[in-house]
Amino acid sequence: MSPRRKTEHEIRHHRAAAHDGVSIAYTLWRRPARELLVIAPGFWRVRLARENLFLASHFLRRGYDVAALDFRGHGDSSGGYGFGASEHHDFHAVLEELVGEGRMYERFAVLGLSMGGSIAAQSIAMRPDLPCRALAMISPPANLADLRPKPWKAGAIRQVRLRHAVRVPRLSARKIASTKPRAADAVAALTIPKLIITSEGDWLVDPSHGRTLAAASAPPIEHVHLDLPGALHADGLVKFVPLRLLRLLDRWFALHAPP
């Protein structure tokens, strides 16, 4: 039997101009495939973080092309982060380059982690013309005003690496002080399939946020709560329970947005 051939793919690093002039960095991994999966990272996380590279590699093997972006104030993107005040421009800028008539893809699906999931929901709700097939959100906050982080929880410190501490995102004081859209309002307007994943004892986004989002969501909606130790939040699930998380994501995407 001949050795198994390794799948070849391209890696392209690009920039997209948001409507308010901010330069947004994104990476596209191409097999090429017909279907695109977009990874939307959370606050303080960049597109080329290990967890996002792990997810990109996995979904490439599953048959998707994958794109991931740095939201403003993060990584190689310019501007300052506003916790949902302007980040929909970033999401739209990348999608407008990749998806639509005359572009590489006719449609897309999204995997959002933490704040990235909430921003993705808001962005898609604001642009119902975007051909999104499905949205999966891991540890998403329903409303920023209701966040009560618990960094003293056992296991929380394992999820914050030194490289995160030395790469502090750039913030926009004006945007931080502005009124933010609520992800709970966004999912109420979205009729695409939605998956919400929460974890018991999450140190940053309490699982009650997931219950709020699930209750507010227009159908179809699936809410999966993982009863796990370790106060795991978003990227922490990718790092510490990857097989359990990927089995769940693979099942759901195969049903609602297959490659």
Side-chain angles (χ1 to χ4, degrees), residues 195-217:
L195 171 66
I196 297 168
I197 301 173
T198 55
S199 180
E200 187 67 25
D202 187 324
W203 73 271
L204 183 55
V205 179
D206 188 85
S208 61
H209 284 257
R211 294 192 292 270
T212 296
L213 287 170
S217 289

Side-chain angles (χ1 to χ4, degrees), residues 158-176:
R158 293 192 306 157
Q159 299 170 60
V160 182
R161 295 195 179 102
L162 178 61
R163 70 173 187 273
H164 299 144
V166 299
R167 298 189 67 179
V168 180
R170 300 172 301 281
L171 304 179
S172 169
R174 182 173 60 87
K175 294 295 185 180
I176 289 173

Side-chain angles (χ1 to χ4, degrees), residues 4 11 16 59 98 102 127 137 153 162 166 169 173 199 213 227-229 249 257:
R4 186 176 179 179
I11 303 176
F59 283 103
L98 295 175
R127 288 281 306 276
M137 298 178 282
K153 276 195 169 187
L162 178 61
V166 299
S199 180
L213 287 170
D227 190 2
L228 298 169
L249 292 173

Side-chain angles (χ1 to χ4, degrees), residues 20 22 43 71-74 77-87 89-90 144 168-180:
D20 59 355
V22 176
F43 175 60
F71 283 107
R72 60 185 59 206
H74 290 73
S77 293
S78 63
Y81 198 73
F83 292 94
S86 299
E87 283 70 28
H89 292 306
D90 313 349
L144 279 175
V168 180
R170 300 172 301 281
L171 304 179
S172 169
R174 182 173 60 87
K175 294 295 185 180
I176 289 173
S178 66
T179 302
K180 311 294 188 305

Side-chain angles (χ1 to χ4, degrees), residues 104-156:
M104 282 188 269
Y105 308 97
E106 294 182 357
R107 55 190 185 173
F108 67 99
V110 183
L111 175 57
L113 293 93
S114 189
M115 194 65 199
S118 299
I119 291 170
Q122 295 159 8
S123 303
I124 298 165
M126 294 171 73
R127 288 281 306 276
D129 60 301
L130 289 173
C132 185
R133 295 202 289 165
L135 169 63
M137 298 178 282
I138 304 175
S139 310
N143 184 11
L144 279 175
D146 296 331
L147 282 181
R148 301 291 184 272
K150 301 178 179 66
W152 58 84
K153 276 195 169 187

